[in-house]
Amino acid sequence: MSTIAPTPLRTALFPMRVVTEYRRLIVFRLGRMSGVKGPGIVWVIPFLDRVMSVDLRESLLEIPHQTSITKDNAPISIDFITFFKVIDPEASVVQVANFAGAAHNIAATTLRSVVGDITLDDVLARRDDINEVLREKLDEVTERWGVKVTNVEIREIVPPPAVQEAMTRQMSAERTRRALVTEAEGDREAAVLRAEGEKQANILAAEGARAANILRAEADQQAAVLRARGFAAGLDAITAVARGVDANTMALQYVDALKALGASPSTKFVVPAELTGMLAGAVALAGGATTAAAPVVDGARRPSGVS
C-alpha cells in the first residue's frame, strides 16, 4: 500500500500512541471523526475510537507505460512518476477511499488527454512542458482529496519502430551535415587566418620599405649637406686665396690661358674687355724684367749680347 494512504491501527490493546513528527492520527469515535491528533503522545479510548495513520512525507507513484495517440495519429508509449504530499490529513481519509488507484487512473487519462493535443515531434522535444501540464491537471483533481502534486517526471518515451528507424536515419544525416558544416567552417577560418597573415606580412614589408626609404633619404640629405658644406669651405678657401692675389699674378694666369687658347683648334675667341689692361700690365712687367737684365753702358742700358 502507498505511504500516502491512511493506515488503520488497533486500539483495543494499545490505548496510548506515540505519533512521530511526520505522521498524524485521524481518530473516529463511534464512527464520527473527532479530529487530527499528533505529533507526540495520543490517548485513545479502546473499543470506542478507531484510529487511522496518515504519512505527511512526500511520496511517489509510478505510472507504468501508457499507450497514447498523438495529434498526428502516431501511437506512443510513455511512463512517468508523480510525486505527492498530503496537505490535509482529514480530506485524504474522508474524501477518497483508494488514493493509489484513483491517482493511477486519473494520471493515465490525463496523460492521454495531454498527449492527444501535441504532435509526435513536440512530445519528443517538449518533455518539460508536458511534465508541467500533467502536474497542473493532476493537482486540480487531487486538491479536493487534500493531496498536493509536487512534481511529474516522464521517465521514458517509446515511439513506434518505424518512427525510431526514421529518427535513426535523421540523426545520422544530421551528424553528417554537422561534420560537413564543421569542416567547411574550419576551411573558412583557415583561409581567413592565411589572408590575415598575408595582409600582416604585406603591411610589415611596406612599413619596412617605407622606413628604409626614409633612412636612405635622410642619409642622402646628410651626404648632400656635407658635400655642400665641403664646397662652401672650398669656395671660402679659394676666395681667401684670391683676395691675396695681385694684378701681376692674374696677368700671368691670363697669359697661360692665352697659350692654351692658341694651342686649341678654334678660330674664334671671346676675350674679356679687361684683358687688354691686364696684358698691358703683363707687357710692362715683362719689359721691366728685360731692362733689369740688360748691362749698363755709358749710363744707358743695353740689351744683353750687345757690346
Side-chain angles (χ1 to χ4, degrees):
M1 182 178 293
S2 174
T3 57
I4 205 170
T7 304
L9 300 176
R10 296 180 182 272
T11 60
L13 300 178
F14 302 99
M16 185 185 71
R17 296 285 184 272
V18 178
V19 183
T20 55
E21 185 68 32
Y22 57 84
R23 287 185 179 274
R24 296 294 183 271
L25 293 184
I26 310 299
V27 180
F28 292 89
R29 181 165 297 169
L30 297 177
R32 184 184 297 275
M33 187 176 66
S34 63
V36 181
K37 306 296 183 180
I41 298 176
V42 177
W43 294 93
V44 295
I45 302 174
F47 304 106
L48 294 181
D49 292 341
R50 179 172 176 265
V51 179
M52 300 189 73
S53 176
V54 178
D55 196 331
L56 300 182
R57 292 175 295 180
E58 187 172 357
S59 59
L60 61 91
L61 179 64
E62 296 185 5
I63 308 300
H65 280 276
Q66 303 291 324
T67 302
S68 305
I69 305 299
T70 61
K71 188 176 182 180
D72 50 356
N73 298 323
I76 191 170
S77 179
I78 302 175
D79 73 321
F80 61 98
I81 304 174
T82 57
F83 295 87
F84 299 89
K85 185 177 183 180
V86 175
I87 57 176
D88 188 352
E90 293 183 5
S92 67
V93 174
V94 176
Q95 299 296 332
V96 60
N98 183 5
F99 174 78
H104 180 278
N105 286 279
I106 194 64
T109 55
T110 304
L111 175 65
R112 293 187 179 96
S113 175
V114 172
V115 173
D117 295 333
I118 305 175
T119 61
L120 177 60
D121 292 339
D122 290 338
V123 171
L124 298 175
R126 296 169 53 191
R127 286 195 177 193
D128 293 339
D129 296 339
I130 297 175
N131 291 337
E132 184 62 24
V133 173
L134 285 174
R135 190 198 65 78
E136 292 177 356
K137 289 185 176 294
L138 289 174
D139 192 48
E140 291 176 359
V141 177
T142 60
E143 184 179 5
R144 64 175 181 265
W145 300 338
V147 179
K148 174 70 175 177
V149 180
T150 58
N151 196 13
V152 176
E153 290 293 337
I154 295 177
R155 288 195 302 186
E156 185 179 13
I157 299 176
V158 182
V163 175
Q164 292 184 8
E165 183 179 356
M167 290 172 60
T168 302
R169 293 198 303 269
Q170 181 182 4
M171 181 177 60
S172 178
E174 179 66 18
R175 288 180 177 176
T176 303
R177 184 187 68 82
R178 289 180 181 178
L180 294 176
V181 170
T182 303
E183 184 178 0
E185 290 179 353
D187 294 340
R188 181 176 63 84
E189 292 179 359
V192 170
L193 292 176
R194 284 195 298 270
E196 288 289 337
E198 293 177 357
K199 184 181 74 171
Q200 292 295 332
N202 293 332
I203 291 174
L204 293 176
E207 291 180 352
R210 184 172 65 85
N213 292 331
I214 292 174
L215 293 176
R216 190 179 300 110
E218 291 178 354
D220 294 341
Q221 181 182 5
Q222 292 179 358
V225 170
L226 293 176
R227 285 195 299 270
R229 290 178 180 176
F231 292 152
L235 291 176
D236 291 340
I238 293 173
T239 303
V241 173
R243 288 174 182 171
V245 175
D246 54 2
N248 295 330
T249 303
M250 293 298 296
L252 293 176
Q253 292 291 332
Y254 274 114
V255 171
D256 293 336
L258 290 177
K259 290 179 180 180
L261 289 176
S264 65
S266 301
T267 57
K268 293 183 179 180
F269 304 101
V270 177
V271 178
E274 61 273 13
L275 179 59
T276 306
M278 290 186 177
L279 288 177
V283 171
L285 179 61
T290 303
T291 305
V296 178
V297 179
D298 296 331
R301 292 183 180 272
R302 294 180 181 270
S304 62
V306 178
S307 59

